[in-house]
Amino acid sequence: MDLSTAQPWPVSRHWRRIGWLLAAVWLFFLNVPLGTALHQPEPWRRIVGVAALVAFGAGYVLLFQWARRQRQTLRPIPAGRARVGLVLLLAVGLASMPGTGGDWMATLVYVAAAAVFLLPLREALAVVLICAVTPALTSWLVPGWETESGIAFAVLLASFAMFGVAHLAQRNSELQAAQREIGRLAVAEERARAARDLHDILGHSLTVVAIKAELAGRLIEVDRERAAVEIAEVEALARAALADVRQTVGAYREVTLAAELAGARSALAAAGIAADLPAEVPALPDEWDRLFGWAVREGVTNVVRHSGARCCAIRVEPTGVEVSDDGRGPSTPDASGHGLVGLRERARELDAVVSVGRRRDGSGFLLRVHAPAEAR
């Protein structure tokens, strides 16, 4: 799947409205620098401190929302934009210093957490380390600056928590992507199944219709009554094929071995091919009955269409079915077509084996579908 063209995930309107709270709820811990700014004796310091902290909080939430959106769509977070965003976030935090004094360092906790969520691991670790040692370095480099010992611990704790959040968000996005891909593949498989069934149904039915129509055309001048019978059967077959298509599209159609044997008898008779069919069929589980029915349908269709045979024999056993003829045989040792591909796909679902080749005496054509050896 091309992640660069992935579409946003459908998210409920309610979640879109409150998703920003994931970031905004942590802004509660800016209460200390905010309280310091509000208690400044000079109005300009109060204004600068409060405005900078409000801008910092809004910037942090917007940056988090942007990164969350990127992860939801499985798009990579652009490293350049992430760096610029972090630099601007840090700059706004520094701008609060006139109103917050040393308490501005509380903003480092959010810068470090944002770095973990936005940047590659190595860069994020570097930012976290810098934010963690900044309080100690500042107190050492700036005379009279008090050490903020709790900031370093808060930076490390918040970074560790954000690492878990980022990892979980990434895994959830990948899981959603996998689920969407599974859904797409399921739709594609269902479309392929429907196309396969329609091919098999119409291929067989239209072959018989064409043969009966040709026979009726030859008989119309010599035996009008027989021609009328054939035309009536053509009409019946066309209606049956239409019903099969409708039922297949509606997912209601059931292929049965007995019905396919009856259809085979009619198709072979219309094609002038002698039919050697079983008088009765063994009791079979539903899934094997359907598979053997499809095998008979595909085998007889091939006999009528391509074989040039004079006789077709069908043998049914509890463990397998065979369709053979005395015609010209397969054109290649691994003869295949759309119908055989579909039959093999159905057989694969039951671990059955489809064999195509010549009869045991080396002549004609043989299609065999049977259960695997261990199931016999």
Side-chain angles (χ1 to χ4, degrees):
M1 181 175 60
D2 186 0
L3 299 183
S4 63
T5 59
Q7 297 300 315
W9 293 105
V11 182
S12 70
R13 183 178 302 177
H14 180 68
W15 177 247
R16 287 198 299 268
R17 289 177 177 175
I18 69 170
W20 59 273
L21 288 175
L22 286 173
V25 69
W26 299 106
L27 296 179
F28 170 79
F29 294 102
L30 288 177
N31 66 324
V32 173
L34 183 62
T36 301
L38 290 173
H39 289 87
Q40 289 290 340
E42 299 177 66
W44 75 271
R45 290 183 183 275
R46 288 200 300 271
I47 294 173
V48 170
V50 172
L53 288 174
V54 170
F56 180 88
Y60 176 76
V61 171
L62 291 175
L63 200 59
F64 179 85
Q65 278 288 82
W66 170 71
R68 189 171 71 97
R69 184 70 170 178
Q70 294 292 114
R71 289 182 181 274
Q72 284 179 337
T73 58
L74 285 182
R75 295 189 182 100
I77 297 175
R81 295 183 184 179
R83 296 187 191 105
V84 171
L86 286 174
V87 170
L88 291 176
L89 197 64
L90 178 61
V92 175
L94 287 169
S96 70
M97 287 180 63
T100 59
D103 290 337
W104 80 272
M105 290 188 185
T107 62
L108 293 176
V109 177
Y110 299 91
V111 172
V116 171
F117 199 72
L118 292 171
L119 297 178
L121 182 59
R122 291 186 179 181
E123 292 185 39
L125 289 176
V127 173
V128 170
L129 181 62
I130 292 172
C131 291
V133 302
T134 294
L137 287 176
T138 304
S139 63
W140 180 60
L141 294 174
V142 180
W145 197 284
E146 296 182 3
T147 303
E148 299 288 343
S149 57
I151 295 297
F153 177 75
V155 165
L156 295 176
L157 184 62
S159 300
F160 181 77
M162 185 57 73
F163 176 79
V165 170
H167 188 73
L168 180 61
Q170 184 68 21
R171 289 294 176 267
N172 285 341
S173 296
E174 292 173 356
L175 178 60
Q176 289 178 336
Q179 289 173 338
R180 187 173 72 169
E181 182 67 9
I182 290 172
R184 187 189 67 79
L185 291 175
V187 171
E189 175 63 22
E190 182 61 19
R191 287 174 177 171
R193 183 197 65 80
R196 179 188 66 200
D197 287 354
L198 287 174
H199 169 271
D200 292 349
I201 292 166
L202 292 179
H204 175 81
S205 299
L206 295 181
T207 297
V208 178
V209 166
I211 291 173
K212 283 186 170 292
E214 181 183 0
L215 177 60
R218 292 199 304 266
L219 292 173
I220 197 167
E221 297 296 336
V222 295
D223 191 343
R224 289 182 178 273
E225 291 184 3
R226 175 76 184 281
V229 171
E230 296 295 335
I231 290 297
E233 291 187 6
V234 166
E235 180 185 0
L237 283 169
R239 292 183 183 277
L242 180 59
D244 284 347
V245 170
R246 287 172 175 169
Q247 291 171 348
T248 299
V249 172
Y252 298 122
R253 184 176 188 274
E254 286 292 338
V255 171
T256 63
L257 178 57
E260 295 305 321
L261 286 172
R265 187 181 303 277
S266 175
L268 292 170
I273 300 174
D276 181 6
L277 307 182
E280 58 183 19
V281 297
L284 297 168
D286 290 343
E287 62 272 18
W288 287 99
D289 188 85
R290 285 192 296 271
L291 177 61
F292 289 175
W294 282 113
V296 169
R297 173 182 283 265
E298 175 60 24
V300 171
T301 300
N302 287 336
V303 170
V304 171
R305 277 182 175 177
H306 311 299
S307 70
R310 292 172 297 176
C311 179
C312 173
I314 299 176
R315 298 288 179 264
V316 180
E317 299 175 354
T319 58
V321 60
E322 289 185 358
V323 180
S324 63
D325 65 64
D326 59 353
R328 62 177 62 94
S331 56
T332 59
D334 58 344
S336 63
H338 292 294
L340 289 175
V341 170
L343 182 61
R344 287 191 172 98
E345 290 177 358
R346 292 186 179 90
R348 195 177 299 122
E349 295 175 0
L350 299 177
D351 293 327
V353 180
V354 178
S355 304
V356 176
R358 294 187 178 275
R359 297 190 302 181
R360 294 172 182 79
D361 60 4
S363 65
F365 182 87
L366 172 67
L367 168 65
R368 185 165 186 258
V369 178
H370 57 88
E374 59 273 14
R376 297 180 195 175

